[in-house]
Amino acid sequence: MFARLAAVAFAATASLSLTVGARADEFITVLSGGTSGVYYPLGVALAKIYGEKIPGARPTVQATKASVENLNLLQQGKGEVAFTLGDSLAAAWKGDAEAGFKAPLTKLRGMTAIYSNYIQIVASKESGIKTLADLKGKRLSVGAPKSGTELNARAILAAAGLTYADLGKVEYLSFGESVELMKNRQLDATLQSAGLGVASIRDLSTSVDITVVEIPKAVIEKAGAPFVAGEIPAGTYGKQDTAVHTAAVVNYLATRADLSDDLVYQMTKSLYESLPELQAAHAAAKAIKLENAKIGMPLPIHPGAAKYFAEKGLK
């Protein structure tokens, strides 16, 4: 009898130990974007922060096609935190088949607003493109199919009275691929929705004389929310001598409803306590401000993130 009880006790203890051990590891997959964009270097930095600041965290960063793919992966439980554009996040929450979401992604929750993306239309000088109207009959890359960038491209072109049919050729390419084609004179322009100073356009401006095309205020107003007026400051890219007006849209970090409040609290807290590290990874992170964390959030905020914001007095 005593031997039998001892065996049962040992088994229970072993089971408890395994459970505790399993809980000690918090797997955090950060869903980012293409390696030549802004999401990826920030994702790498965020994963490093989580590894250093969250006890037991085992973070990884995954390169993806960005917003739309990221949100679908989150819904499938294949990631814990994802970078996304605001319009993609709103479409995912509502369910928008045309945007890449066949049904509402109800497992998503908001974590925080971060920085704004700028819709950056860059043409080679030799293409002669100076305005949005000049894109007619030209070769334009609009981002990966059904990506957040491509959704932005559709909206901005439509507001300017243009469709893909008006273009000479439409390419659905990543930022890096678009730049390589422009260098080889196989593409006239690229539209990239990204933070200021994105590596792909900086690379292009060192090899090709470029024109950064203005998106006028009237076009932005016609496109409507979530687009707002923004500016690409002079000198953001090589030989860009003047500031250029353009459209901007807020980026967010999204997470899953089924993650523990404590984990999401720790993820949110460690992000805001490590802004210098994020800024070192990419200058776009300089625009991340705690006071803007809840701005325009198009879906419910995860209770773990809400707890951190409440502690900081953010209403």
Side-chain angles (χ1 to χ4, degrees):
M1 177 65 73
F2 284 120
R4 200 171 294 166
L5 287 172
V8 170
F10 176 81
T13 303
S15 175
L16 179 61
S17 297
L18 286 171
T19 302
V20 171
R23 287 178 181 168
D25 288 332
E26 291 282 11
F27 292 93
I28 304 174
T29 298
V30 180
L31 302 167
S32 60
T35 55
S36 56
V38 177
Y39 285 174
Y40 186 76
L42 288 182
V44 171
L46 193 59
K48 185 172 185 290
I49 289 165
Y50 288 162
E52 293 172 350
K53 300 289 179 71
I54 302 176
R58 295 183 61 180
T60 56
V61 62
Q62 184 174 329
T64 67
K65 293 177 182 177
S67 301
V68 177
E69 182 181 8
N70 288 352
L71 296 173
N72 281 310
L73 287 171
L74 269 190
Q75 176 75 9
Q76 296 162 19
K78 296 179 180 177
E80 282 64 49
V81 60
F83 287 79
T84 178
L85 279 162
D87 55 341
S88 299
L89 188 57
W93 183 245
K94 294 175 184 175
D96 183 336
E98 189 175 342
F101 309 107
K102 295 179 181 178
L105 303 192
T106 57
K107 296 179 182 178
L108 303 184
R109 291 295 181 270
M111 191 168 122
T112 184
I114 41 176
Y115 63 93
S116 289
N117 259 26
Y118 292 77
I119 316 306
Q120 301 170 75
I121 302 175
V122 180
S124 64
K125 272 220 167 125
E126 69 176 24
S127 72
I129 297 169
K130 295 180 180 178
T131 69
L132 288 175
D134 294 336
L135 290 171
K136 286 184 179 180
K138 301 294 185 178
R139 301 166 295 178
L140 174 69
S141 176
V142 294
K146 299 292 186 183
S147 64
T149 289
E150 203 233 325
L151 295 181
N152 287 175
R154 287 177 184 270
I156 294 298
L157 291 176
L162 297 168
T163 68
Y164 285 176
D166 294 318
L167 304 174
K169 187 177 183 181
V170 179
E171 295 282 7
Y172 300 89
L173 301 171
S174 70
F175 294 175
E177 291 169 325
S178 302
V179 164
E180 289 308 309
L181 285 190
M182 287 188 70
K183 288 179 181 179
N184 295 326
R185 294 182 169 83
Q186 295 174 282
L187 197 63
D188 298 308
T190 176
L191 184 151
Q192 303 192 5
S193 179
L196 294 175
V198 61
S200 51
I201 299 178
R202 282 194 287 110
D203 175 32
L204 178 66
S205 68
T206 63
S207 304
V208 175
D209 286 339
I210 63 170
T211 298
V212 182
V213 180
E214 178 186 29
I215 299 178
K217 188 176 180 181
V219 171
I220 298 166
E221 289 175 349
K222 188 171 182 180
F227 297 101
V228 296
E231 184 179 86
I232 303 171
T236 299
Y237 301 109
K239 299 179 183 177
Q240 181 209 337
D241 299 326
T242 59
V244 177
H245 295 295
T246 192
V249 59
V250 176
N251 283 293
Y252 295 88
L253 288 177
T255 187
R256 297 200 322 262
D258 63 339
L259 294 188
S260 73
D261 292 0
D262 180 63
L263 177 58
V264 178
Y265 172 86
Q266 292 293 338
M267 290 196 298
T268 309
K269 182 175 187 284
S270 57
L271 181 155
Y272 279 103
E273 290 182 350
S274 307
L275 289 179
E277 288 92 325
L278 287 174
Q279 292 163 3
H282 200 285
K286 291 178 181 177
I288 300 176
K289 309 285 185 185
L290 179 61
E291 58 266 30
N292 297 330
K294 297 164 73 174
I295 191 167
M297 184 69 74
L299 78 174
I301 293 176
H302 194 287
K307 177 185 175 184
Y308 176 74
F309 298 144
E311 286 181 359
K312 292 296 180 180
L314 191 63
K315 296 181 180 179

